[in-house]
Amino acid sequence: MKKNRDVEIKKKTNHSKRKYKKSKINIFLMIAVSVFAVYVIAVFVGQQIEISGKKEKLASVTQELQVQEIKNNEIKKSLESNAGVNSEYIERLARVGLDFVKPSERVFVNVAGN
């Protein structure tokens, strides 16, 4: 009878050891899954925050682009309406500031200094 009791005790201890190992594995698995889930959620939230920031930046850059296009169109219109005036102004700047002359002109230099 003692042997039977010893065998039963061994079975119970083996059975309890298995339960302990299984519960230990289950707890470890649950912790690992929980940590992974928290990581995935953190990455997702971080990406959403980054996306919203990029959308705001895109909206501001788009607005700046529209303002610049309006300025460019105004400058083009003013250049087209004043084409004659602008060419005269450019010619005067080239002659006075850069000492340019037309190909058919002769340049006389006063060597006396007066």
Side-chain angles (χ1 to χ4, degrees):
M1 282 242 243
K2 201 172 183 182
K3 277 189 172 183
N4 287 340
R5 207 182 301 164
D6 288 340
V7 171
E8 285 180 28
I9 292 174
K10 276 188 176 180
K11 285 182 182 179
K12 285 183 182 179
T13 56
N14 285 341
H15 185 64
S16 65
K17 284 182 182 179
R18 282 189 218 147
K19 275 188 176 181
Y20 178 72
K21 284 183 181 179
K22 283 185 180 180
S23 66
K24 197 173 183 181
I25 291 172
N26 285 340
I27 291 172
F28 178 73
L29 185 62
M30 290 297 285
I31 290 172
V33 169
S34 299
V35 168
F36 181 72
V38 168
Y39 171 75
V40 168
I41 290 170
V43 168
F44 180 74
V45 169
Q47 287 178 346
Q48 290 301 319
I49 291 171
E50 189 175 334
I51 287 172
S52 66
K54 297 293 182 180
K55 283 182 180 179
E56 291 174 5
K57 178 80 172 171
L58 177 64
S60 68
V61 169
T62 303
Q63 186 177 6
E64 289 176 15
L65 176 66
Q66 290 173 345
V67 168
Q68 191 61 44
E69 285 177 345
I70 290 170
K71 287 180 181 178
N72 288 350
N73 288 335
E74 290 175 357
I75 291 171
K76 281 181 184 177
K77 286 179 184 177
S78 69
L79 285 175
E80 289 171 358
S81 66
N82 298 327
V85 175
N86 283 337
S87 64
E88 291 172 4
Y89 174 72
I90 291 171
E91 183 179 345
R92 186 167 27 102
L93 283 178
R95 286 177 175 270
V96 173
L98 302 174
D99 293 329
F100 281 13
V101 294
K102 290 184 178 180
S104 60
E105 289 183 330
R106 285 190 169 175
V107 178
F108 295 99
V109 179
N110 187 358
V111 291
N114 295 339

